[in-house]
Amino acid sequence: MDGGQAFDAGSPGGGSGLECTFNSDCPLDERCECDEETGCQCLTGARGTGRAGVDPCVSGNDCESALCVEGWNSYYCSGPCRVDTDCGPRLPVCSYIFFLGDACVRDPTGP
């Protein structure tokens, strides 16, 4: 729901409109899409396959988690984590991010 209205799952960009942080917050046939106007919501669409801390990305739609963050030389898929070993080599640190929770981020000391 967004502003009390449900999206039509049969229309382009439709879906449940549920608030989300990651793709895992959405029904299986939807992905978490974010923009500055409407925030993040579940919309109909294929999910990305990029792995956290491993694969480069242009947007969250490239990532299995829906989260694309800045690394040291490029942008990489991130995702939820519990410990550093849940993260890949490009974003090796599991860190708490306000309003997001624990996610993989770049090492603050450098590559």
Side-chain angles (χ1 to χ4, degrees):
M1 294 257 189
D2 183 30
Q5 297 178 333
F7 291 92
D8 177 5
S11 67
S16 65
L18 296 169
E19 289 186 23
C20 57
T21 301
F22 300 109
N23 282 334
S24 58
D25 299 326
C26 299
L28 292 176
D29 62 340
E30 297 178 5
R31 66 181 177 208
C32 186
E33 289 196 36
C34 304
D35 67 44
E36 291 186 24
E37 280 186 32
T38 59
C40 297
Q41 55 191 305
C42 297
L43 299 176
T44 302
R47 295 179 181 192
T49 58
R51 296 167 293 153
V54 176
D55 296 314
C57 54
V58 175
S59 78
N61 291 338
D62 297 326
C63 306
E64 64 184 5
S65 67
L67 182 61
C68 180
V69 301
E70 187 175 4
W72 281 107
N73 300 317
S74 187
Y75 284 81
Y76 296 95
C77 292
S78 182
C81 58
R82 293 183 187 202
V83 294
D84 290 349
T85 55
D86 291 340
C87 302
R90 302 287 185 196
L91 302 171
V93 177
C94 183
S95 182
Y96 179 78
I97 300 172
F98 195 62
F99 287 116
L100 182 67
D102 291 331
C104 301
V105 298
R106 68 184 183 190
D107 185 337
T109 62

